[in-house]
Structure formats: structure tokens, C-alpha cells
Amino acid sequence: MPGIDKLPIEETLEDSPQTRSLLGVFEEDAAAISSYINQLYRAMHRIYDAQNELSAATHLTSKLLKEYEKQRFPLGGDDEVMSSTLQQFAKVIDELSSCHAVLSTQLADAMMFPITQFKERDLKEILTLKEVFQIASNDHDAAINRYSRLSKRRENEKVKFEVVEDVYTSRKKQHQTMMHYFCALNTLQYKKKISMLEPLLGYMQAQISFFKMGSENLTEHLEEFLTNIGTSVQNVRREMESEVENMQQTIEDLEVASDPLYLPDPDTTKFPVHRSLTRKAGYLNARNKTGLVSSSWERQFYFTQGGNLMSQARGDVAGGLVMDIDNCSVMAVDCEDRRYCFQITSFDGKKSSILQAESKKDYEEWICTINNISKQIYLSENAEEIAARVNQSALEAVTPSPSFQQRHESMRPTIQSRPPTARTSSSGSLGSESAPLSTLSLDSLVAPDTPIQFDIISPVSEDQPGQAKTSGQSGRRTNPFGESGGSKSETEDSILHQLFIVRFLGSMEVKYDETPDVVYETMRQILAARAIHNIFRMTESHLLVTCDCLKLIDPQTQVTRLRFSLPNIALYATHQENKRLFGFVLRTSGGRAESRPTSVCYIFESNNEGEKICDSVGLAKQIALHAELDRRASEKQKEIERVKEKQQKELSKQKQIEKDLEEQSRLIAASSRPTQSSGEGQFVVLSSSQSEDSDLGEEGKKKRESEA
């Protein structure tokens, strides 16, 4: 197959008019593909409907033929030959009806499913990404416009910080959405081939399978042709998967490499100024006079072409000439309301333009580039080497005066490379003190390729380990009339019982659960995923905080949706700036790897009560800790009492045994004492039988006499 046209993902950050123009061609191609696929879909749907109708009609015919012998015709109703013949026809047509039913099923799976999936999923995804990209582009333009209007004299650090943050966020969002949009458009070039070939291949294979049921004499040439088509489709699919993987890797690499460039004014120490350039391109703000005193600024894309300065509006195919910059003069100018401004004056002095650069780096590079072009260095063979040598000699030969340098430094506000992340927030955690975020990478906070769950009532949340299932928790409702219903609520005896209105934003598995930065990073990823995928629906619940657990309760039915055990909550925090956002990390007994415990971070939005919820959770954990300490002290006291009671019983038992032994010894000693006869002077010893007779009394004596 011929080569596939692709959009350059590497040029998305520059966002040049050429790239936008090429993007317009791809969008027109996508619209043409969508129109054609809709027509092809309607045609194939007619085939599918006709086959279903044919299968139903064939089945009805077979049924009517089978019922012929049950009919009572006035004439000729008893013709047995006719009846048997129709029965044979009915049998054959019934088999043919089964074949048609199989063919209908194969057409639905092999023909209708691929083209329907391409129409409903892929084309709609292109439209969605186009809308998201357009919104991000408009936001970026608005942020750049606000940034460009920053006053230099009435400089406000807070306003400047907010505008720089807005530019960073909007530019990053535009870059990311633009890269994903380009990836989808490039993938569409492969999918449009598959979406047309796969349904046709499925249709032909279904027909061949249908005819093979009745005949095995199908030509091998057609089978070989279809086999080649199937092989070609598989090759295109493999090539598409490989290309998609490469584009995804390119996107990831560009996101990492372009992160510092999202700032409108990067640090010149990290990104040095190139003073030997002979070609330059980028966006500049040009001042246009609207009256004697008033003026307006217009943002356009400027680039150098030979000895000319060109400009090009967004969406234009080619640029227009602004000025001949051979032998021109360029110098920095002090505008009242703008920073980083410079003026270009033609060699005859009849034409001049005042332009504003976006950053200090671009400002100096534009001046150096125009100077190099003005000296016609670009016409030499080694233009960059000569320009570098000329600029170096100029820097060594000329030393700027301190007053000039200080004046320009005072006019240029200090640039912050990144906004500070250390802000005060209500947060708490269990365990040892964690390391700062600067020592942690993104992969150490959040597991790679972690899916995000946006709904709390999905089967994933119901079957998560470490918490009760929803079906088990939702079987009992709160009685509105105050009756207990024969079962006592587990939160009835709780000291703490606070209720908050929250909305669930999402949850995802995390790898690190010892610093609030995990919660902040999870908030950022979930909010970004909701914005990219246009997920705006949120489930509202009541969050009940007790000394034992946290419960999410349905506000309508009072059914417990989720229950989080309080000891399993590792940490909790609210957003640094948006106090409506808060989250907590729950340690569970198992996750993707059943051999290790996992941690899941849940993010919620409240009615500006994030700090109150975190304080309430912290109070609940303190109460639970004191209750646990009291319980352990009570159990220890009870154990001591049980040991004492056991020792007392053993001592009493030992005393009883000693008393019995003493009594037995006394009886033995009394029975063995000698008795002297008064008449004869002899010792008479009572035998054991006589002793027993004395104990038994008269009955013992009579028994002895009878035995004797």
C-alpha cells in the first residue's frame, strides 16, 4: 500500500501557521472520510436488513410448507404425493433458512460491527478531540493576550504570578491536546483503510461460508484473493499499532522535554541565548497605530527568509513581506506598557516596526538574528560560525555602562521558573515524616498505567479489598420515624458523628502513601483526565465521619454506598489553593499484586469544607487512638485481675490439699497407736477389720459373726 501521510507531532509546541494549515487539510480529510463512511454504512445496513428479511421469509416459507398436510382444501386435499414432496421441499428450505440465519449472524459480526465501531467510536473521538483542542487553543490565546498586556510600570507580583501560571497551564493543555489530536488524525489514516476493507472482507467471507454449506466447488482463485486481502489488512493493523506505539512514545518524550518550555519566560541560565542565529521564527506582538496617541497590538507569526522579515497569520498558507532587513538597524526600545520590545528600522529610515517578544530569551535572539541578517552574514558559507565570532568579539570589545544595564534590569521583572509548591494546607498522615516532593519522581507517587475510576457505584469499587461490598452495606436503610427495626446502628455509640455533602471525583491506585503530595498529584491527574475526556458528571453523597469509619451515604435512599475503615486511612489532605477539593489514601489488603498491600487515593469535592472534613477526620483518629489506648489499658487490667484470681484459686486449692493430707496423717497415726490389756499385760493391736467393725457399729459385728 502507498505511504501514509502524517502530521508532525514534534511541531505541536511551536504551533506554526504551516502546522495549522496542514492540520486544516487533515481535518477536511477526516470530514470527507466521515461523509463517505456514513453513506457506506447505510448501504451495508440495507444488505444486512435484506438478509435478515430473506432469512425470516425463508423460515416462514418452510413453516407453511410443513403445515400443508394439515390444511383442509375442498379439492385435492388428500394428495399424498404432493404432501410428501412439499415435506421434502420444506426440509431443504428449512436447511436453507438455517444457512441464511448463519449468514445474517456472520454479516452482523464481520461486516456491520467493524464499520459501526469505526463510525460510532473513532469518528466521534476525532470530533471530541477537535472540540477540546479548539477550547484549549482559545484559552491559550486568551492567556497569552493577558500576559502580553502586563504593565511594566505598575507591576504587581501577584497579578504577574497568576498570569504566568495561567499561561503555563493553558499552554501545557494546548500542547497535550494538540499532540493527542494529531495522533488521532494520523491513526485515522490507517483506520480509514481498515474500516473499508474489513467490512468488505467480512461480507465476502460470510457469503463464501454460506455457499460452502451447499457446495464445496468454490474457486480457489477467489479464496486466494481474499486470503491476500486478509493478510494485507493484518499488515496494515500491525503497522498501525507500531506507529501508534511510536507516536505515544514521542508524546511522552515531548511532554517531559517540553515541560520547562510551557513557561512564557524560561530561565536564561537553563536555556542560553543563541546569538549566532541567521534564521528565526516565532510569534511576536506588533504595534499598530490607531490614532495620534492610541495604538493596538496584534499577535502574528514572524519568520526570516533570506534578507526579509515575513509575517503570517494563523491559518494562512503563505506569509507576506513586512520589511527588507538587509542593512537595517535594530535596537531595544522602552515602551510604556510592554516589556521586551525592539524596533526595526529600514536602511533608508522610511519604514520602522516595533515588535514585542514573549520572553527575554526570544527578545535577545531576535535582536541578534536581525543584526546578523543586516550585516548579510547569512550569505556566507559558514554563517553561524561567522555570526558567533562577530558576536563574541563584540561582547569582548564593548562593556555596557552600569547605568544602562541597571535600567534594563529594573525594567525586566524577575522571572520565576516555576510557581512554588509549598503552601499551607490542612493535612495529616500516619507513620514517619515523609520526604519532600522534590526528591520524588512521578512514578514513585502514582503507579504507571494506573486506571482512574470516576464512579463509586461501579463493580470495581464494590469488590475492592479492604472495604465492605456495596450490596452488603446497602441492605439496611435508616428508618425516618426513628425506629431501630430490631438492629442497633454501629454509629449509635460513636462520640463523633459529623455529616458533610461531597461529590466523588475519582480514585486511583498510588505507590507512595506517606506525603500529602500524593493527594495533590492524584487531584491533578484526575482533574486533567476529566477535562480531556469531557467527564462532568459527579455522584453526590453524604460523608459521615465517625470514630470507627467514614461512610458514603446516598442522600435519597440513605443507603451506605461505601465504608472506609478509619485505621486503614493512611493520610488525608485538602488542595493547597482550592479548599473545596480534598482526598485521602486508603490502605487495602490487596490490589494488582495480591502478595502486597496497595494504597488507593480517593478525591472528593465539597461545598468549600475541605479543611473542616480533614479536621474532622483528624479528630476522629485522635478519639479512636485514645479509645484504643483506653481499651488496651482496660484489657490489661482485666488480664491482671484474672491472673490474680487464678493465683488465689491455686493457693486455696493448695491449702485444701495440705489440710487433707494432714487429716489423713492424723487418722493413720491414731489407728496404729498400741493398747495395753489390763488383765494379762499384753499389747493388743486392732486389725483393720476390727477397726472397720467399730466404725460400722452393730451391723458390722453381726456380719462378722455370721461369716465366722
Side-chain angles (χ1 to χ4, degrees):
M1 287 193 176
I4 304 297
D5 296 326
K6 293 182 293 184
L7 283 167
I9 299 179
E10 296 81 2
E11 299 179 6
T12 53
L13 181 59
E14 182 181 0
D15 193 18
S16 64
Q18 289 87 351
T19 305
R20 286 295 183 103
S21 178
L22 185 60
L23 174 61
V25 176
F26 272 76
E27 288 177 344
E28 291 179 3
D29 183 72
I33 292 172
S34 178
S35 176
Y36 180 78
I37 288 298
N38 287 331
Q39 298 177 13
L40 185 62
Y41 172 79
R42 288 192 292 269
M44 289 185 174
H45 204 282
R46 289 184 63 184
I47 296 176
Y48 176 66
D49 292 340
Q51 181 60 40
N52 287 337
E53 182 64 24
L54 179 60
S55 176
T58 309
H59 179 71
L60 179 60
T61 303
S62 173
K63 182 179 179 181
L64 291 175
L65 292 177
K66 288 180 180 180
E67 294 178 352
Y68 175 79
E69 61 182 2
K70 299 180 181 179
Q71 303 298 320
R72 294 295 179 261
F73 298 104
L75 299 174
D78 297 333
D79 192 351
E80 295 181 358
V81 177
M82 185 65 178
S83 298
S84 61
T85 304
L86 291 180
Q87 290 299 319
Q88 291 294 328
F89 272 111
K91 183 178 180 181
V92 174
I93 294 177
D94 192 21
E95 294 178 357
L96 187 60
S97 175
S98 301
C99 295
H100 280 294
V102 173
L103 179 59
S104 298
T105 304
Q106 291 179 348
L107 289 178
D109 295 338
M111 183 180 72
M112 295 306 302
F113 178 74
I115 194 170
T116 303
Q117 191 178 29
F118 177 73
K119 176 177 173 291
E120 299 294 334
R121 185 188 65 181
D122 299 328
L123 294 180
K124 286 186 177 180
E125 181 184 4
I126 293 294
L127 294 177
T128 302
L129 287 175
K130 181 178 180 180
E131 294 176 359
V132 173
F133 167 67
Q134 191 62 39
I135 294 173
S137 180
N138 295 336
D139 293 344
H140 177 252
D141 292 341
I144 285 294
N145 193 17
R146 289 193 297 270
Y147 174 78
S148 300
R149 293 198 304 266
L150 282 176
S151 177
K152 183 173 64 177
R153 294 189 173 182
R154 296 180 301 173
E155 185 170 347
N156 190 332
E157 291 297 329
K158 182 178 180 181
V159 174
K160 176 187 172 184
F161 174 77
E162 292 177 354
V163 172
V164 169
E165 185 76 12
D166 192 15
V167 171
Y168 172 81
T169 304
S170 60
R171 179 169 293 175
K172 184 173 184 179
K173 183 178 179 181
Q174 179 192 0
H175 187 209
Q176 292 176 347
T177 54
M178 194 173 184
M179 287 191 295
H180 288 286
Y181 186 34
F182 278 26
C183 177
L185 288 175
N186 291 341
T187 308
L188 183 64
Q189 299 302 313
Y190 294 92
K191 289 184 178 180
K192 70 178 182 181
K193 301 178 183 296
I194 297 174
S195 64
M196 289 184 288
L197 292 178
E198 275 192 342
L200 295 176
L201 180 63
Y203 172 75
M204 295 304 299
Q205 288 179 345
Q207 293 291 343
I208 291 174
S209 177
F210 170 73
F211 287 114
K212 276 187 176 181
M213 294 180 187
S215 175
E216 298 294 332
N217 298 325
L218 195 64
T219 58
E220 296 181 358
H221 177 70
L222 185 59
E223 291 183 350
E224 183 179 357
F225 171 75
L226 295 178
T227 302
N228 293 335
I229 294 296
T231 303
S232 178
V233 169
Q234 293 300 324
N235 292 334
V236 172
R237 182 177 293 277
R238 284 193 293 269
E239 185 180 354
M240 180 194 71
E241 293 174 352
S242 176
E243 188 64 26
V244 169
E245 184 178 356
N246 293 335
M247 287 189 293
Q248 293 293 342
Q249 184 62 39
T250 302
I251 289 175
E252 294 177 2
D253 296 339
L254 288 177
E255 284 182 350
V256 175
S258 304
D259 187 79
L261 301 178
Y262 293 140
L263 290 171
D265 198 354
D267 191 359
T268 55
T269 59
K270 297 181 180 178
F271 301 92
V273 178
H274 299 285
R275 303 182 183 276
S276 60
L277 298 176
T278 56
R279 288 183 298 174
K280 180 71 175 172
Y283 282 97
L284 295 173
N285 292 326
R287 189 173 74 171
N288 300 321
K289 288 187 177 181
T290 58
L292 295 177
V293 181
S294 61
S295 61
S296 64
W297 294 84
E298 182 181 5
R299 187 170 185 262
Q300 283 191 344
F301 187 85
Y302 286 81
F303 61 96
T304 60
Q305 192 175 55
N308 299 322
L309 179 65
M310 313 289 288
S311 68
Q312 186 175 358
R314 182 175 294 177
D316 291 350
V317 178
L321 177 64
V322 177
M323 185 185 301
D324 183 4
I325 53 178
D326 277 340
N327 299 321
C328 73
S329 62
V330 58
M331 60 181 296
V333 295
D334 186 7
C335 294
E336 296 179 358
D337 56 343
R338 299 276 176 149
R339 303 175 303 161
Y340 308 140
C341 295
F342 58 95
Q343 180 176 353
I344 307 173
T345 307
S346 61
F347 68 98
D348 55 0
K350 294 181 179 180
K351 190 175 182 180
S352 64
S353 296
I354 295 179
L355 303 174
Q356 179 196 15
E358 184 176 287
S359 63
K360 180 181 179 181
K361 179 178 180 294
D362 286 340
Y363 161 80
E364 296 182 5
E365 284 183 353
W366 271 108
I367 294 177
C368 293
T369 303
I370 294 175
N371 268 325
N372 296 335
I373 295 175
S374 175
K375 298 173 184 177
Q376 298 185 357
I377 297 176
Y378 67 96
L379 297 176
S380 59
E381 293 182 357
N382 299 324
E384 293 184 0
E385 294 180 3
I386 296 175
R389 190 162 56 250
V390 170
N391 282 281
Q392 183 64 29
S393 61
L395 289 175
E396 293 174 355
V398 180
T399 302
S401 63
S403 60
F404 177 84
Q405 185 175 5
Q406 291 174 1
R407 182 169 62 88
H408 275 269
E409 290 298 328
S410 64
M411 289 190 297
R412 296 168 187 167
T414 304
I415 300 170
Q416 298 177 354
S417 59
R418 286 297 297 270
T421 57
R423 296 186 176 94
T424 305
S425 63
S426 299
S427 62
S429 62
L430 295 176
S432 61
E433 185 176 357
S434 60
L437 183 60
S438 59
T439 61
L440 299 174
S441 64
L442 180 60
D443 291 341
S444 66
L445 293 177
V446 180
D449 301 329
T450 303
I452 299 176
Q453 180 180 338
F454 296 106
D455 199 348
I456 61 175
I457 59 176
S458 64
V460 177
S461 65
E462 292 178 1
D463 297 334
Q464 276 186 343
Q467 63 188 25
K469 292 185 178 182
T470 305
S471 58
Q473 294 292 337
S474 60
R476 184 183 62 214
R477 301 189 180 186
T478 303
N479 196 325
F481 300 103
E483 299 176 1
S484 61
S487 62
K488 189 174 181 180
S489 174
E490 63 180 358
T491 60
E492 233 176 65
D493 297 332
S494 178
I495 300 175
L496 185 64
H497 194 279
Q498 291 186 347
L499 197 67
F500 302 94
I501 299 176
V502 297
R503 288 167 293 279
F504 181 72
L505 294 178
S507 63
M508 61 188 301
E509 183 179 336
V510 296
K511 295 174 62 177
Y512 201 79
D513 58 358
E514 296 182 359
T515 172
D517 295 322
V518 179
V519 181
Y520 307 151
E521 177 64 24
T522 307
M523 289 177 180
R524 186 191 66 81
Q525 292 200 21
I526 289 178
L527 292 177
R530 279 181 168 268
I532 291 175
H533 299 289
N534 290 331
I535 301 176
F536 303 108
R537 183 176 61 86
M538 293 183 291
T539 304
E540 183 169 315
S541 305
H542 288 172
L543 179 65
L544 179 62
V545 181
T546 66
C547 298
D548 301 324
C549 63
L550 270 67
K551 283 186 177 182
L552 284 177
I553 302 173
D554 192 321
Q556 300 295 331
T557 61
Q558 297 299 314
V559 174
T560 300
R561 289 173 174 167
L562 286 179
R563 181 183 183 278
F564 306 100
S565 180
L566 197 62
N568 292 337
I569 297 178
L571 62 92
Y572 45 91
T574 183
H575 196 270
Q576 305 103 311
E577 297 178 354
N578 188 357
K579 301 306 179 182
R580 299 174 61 183
L581 299 178
F582 77 97
F584 58 85
V585 177
L586 184 74
R587 290 177 180 172
T588 59
S589 58
R592 295 191 215 173
E594 297 296 337
S595 61
R596 62 173 180 83
T598 60
S599 299
V600 180
C601 185
Y602 293 84
I603 305 301
F604 297 89
E605 181 187 30
S606 65
N607 295 334
N608 211 9
E609 295 180 339
E611 292 183 346
K612 294 182 180 179
I613 296 176
C614 290
D615 294 340
S616 179
V617 174
L619 179 60
K621 295 185 77 69
Q622 290 181 3
I623 295 174
L625 177 61
H626 289 298
E628 180 67 18
L629 294 177
D630 293 341
R631 185 186 64 80
R632 291 182 181 180
S634 177
E635 289 182 355
K636 186 175 182 181
Q637 185 64 30
K638 290 180 180 179
E639 184 67 23
I640 293 174
E641 292 177 357
R642 285 196 297 268
V643 171
K644 288 182 178 180
E645 184 179 356
K646 185 176 180 181
Q647 291 178 352
Q648 188 68 26
K649 289 182 179 180
E650 291 291 337
L651 183 60
S652 300
K653 187 176 179 181
Q654 186 67 26
K655 289 182 179 180
Q656 184 65 30
I657 292 173
E658 292 178 356
K659 184 177 180 181
D660 293 342
L661 290 176
E662 184 179 356
E663 183 67 22
Q664 187 176 1
S665 300
R666 186 181 62 78
L667 292 175
I668 292 173
S671 61
S672 61
R673 188 181 299 126
T675 305
Q676 185 178 7
S677 174
S678 58
E680 298 177 358
Q682 297 179 352
F683 293 98
V684 179
V685 179
L686 295 176
S687 64
S688 61
S689 61
Q690 291 175 345
S691 176
E692 290 175 1
D693 290 343
S694 63
D695 294 335
L696 293 175
E698 294 296 328
E699 293 181 359
K701 291 180 180 180
K702 290 180 180 181
K703 186 176 181 181
R704 285 290 182 184
E705 291 176 357
S706 63
E707 289 178 356

